[in-house]
Amino acid sequence: MEGSLILANGEKFTGQWQGNPKDHIGELIYFTGMARFQEFITDPANKGKVVIATFPGILNSDLDPSKFESDQIQIGGLITQQDVNMPVDVKGINVLDLFSEQNIPVLTSMDTRALIKRVKKEGEMPAIISSKYTVNRLSAQMEDIYANFGTEHIIPKGHKHIVVINFGYKKSLIHSLSQSGHKVTVTSGHIDISLIHSLKPDGIIFSGGPGNPLEWQKFFPDYKKLAMKYPTLGLGLGHQILALAFGANIEKMPAGHRNFKEAVIETDSQKVFMSNQNHGYTVNEKNLKQYGFRVSFKNVHDGTVEGLVHEQYLVVTYQFHPEQVHNPLNELIFNHFFKTVNESKGASVYA
């Protein structure tokens, strides 16, 4: 049967509906990768988003659950040019079967080129994906994506105690931490600062996650207090939240960085690295020095801020993420953080 995608600007696109009838409204973004599809659709940073896949054979992707970034699909809908009447050759889990099992709508035979042009021109925007061909406007509300996660003792024993403030962490983060030999506790972004202190952390990680970091602003004073007291690492959304907590500003990007090979340059060494990114906001570089930060990484293509170091407190943040695969940035991120954790125990963090 036919289904439709209605953009916030009023335009409607039609395609072939796959799955159970339903409506879903979410931010419309695009994914240009020909690989790493399973990591992308299970990344909590994509919770609720409607994704345009530019690769025409995306439904032929092999899905390996061991590489999923969470236990389920996070995106709210998939748009693809691929025609399901053509043979779909997969060795592992069938993409359409998995989406159907989790009741995630898919629109096939879509004009993805025209859609990408709209997004690149007008920016990422809300859109509704609907099985009702008669729907002609956005009439629903975007679902709440700011979950209140509980406290979990992920790794109960280890040399040092790392507390992860959870805004929607990826499995690859826990995978990296599990190899470090440290105790790991995950706690909610809806923070209870007395609880965090009672855990007696040796270091704190602000995880990545979905959405606008300003949604967490009522907790900014407590986030700042924690970062001033303990060695702190921010990743993805956590990078933006920490910058905001210290007084910096963010900007909405017309089209976000959603790539597993996004080029970043380290400002001190001038070395270029390929990074894993998935975000639609960026930290504004203006007045960062006023808030105690210096820029440690920038994006090669558009010059946006990719990393920060605080000059007074043990706070280091990155817009990019560690990965499950071997990556030089993994070592850079964690070697620096764990070195700081080991050296700061028992000493004042204040400069």
Side-chain angles (χ1 to χ4, degrees), residues 249-307:
N249 297 305
I250 60 162
E251 298 174 340
K252 183 75 169 70
M253 305 171 73
H257 295 159
R258 307 187 190 281
N259 198 331
F260 289 92
K261 291 185 177 180
E262 190 73 31
V264 297
I265 185 167
E266 189 176 23
T267 55
D268 288 342
S269 68
Q270 292 296 294
K271 289 183 179 179
V272 174
F273 299 84
M274 293 299 178
S275 66
N276 174 4
Q277 298 191 26
N278 189 4
H279 63 101
Y281 292 86
T282 184
V283 174
N284 190 322
E285 189 173 358
K286 186 178 180 180
N287 297 328
L288 280 177
K289 289 185 178 179
Q290 174 184 334
Y291 306 114
F293 288 111
R294 66 174 175 85
V295 177
S296 58
F297 282 87
K298 283 192 171 186
N299 190 280
V300 170
H301 302 295
D302 60 18
T304 51
V305 175
E306 299 282 9

Side-chain angles (χ1 to χ4, degrees), residues 19 90 126 198 217 220 242 262 276 322:
V90 293
S198 71
Q217 61 185 332
F220 286 175
L242 283 166
E262 190 73 31
N276 174 4

Side-chain angles (χ1 to χ4, degrees), residues 205-251:
I205 297 177
F206 284 68
S207 84
N212 186 338
L214 286 171
E215 293 289 336
W216 300 92
Q217 61 185 332
K218 72 177 182 179
F219 300 104
F220 286 175
D222 285 343
Y223 293 157
K224 183 177 179 180
K225 290 176 184 176
L226 289 175
M228 292 167 63
K229 183 173 179 61
Y230 304 105
T232 299
L233 170 65
L235 300 168
L237 182 69
H239 151 84
Q240 299 165 11
I241 285 173
L242 283 166
L244 286 166
F246 278 88
N249 297 305
I250 60 162
E251 298 174 340

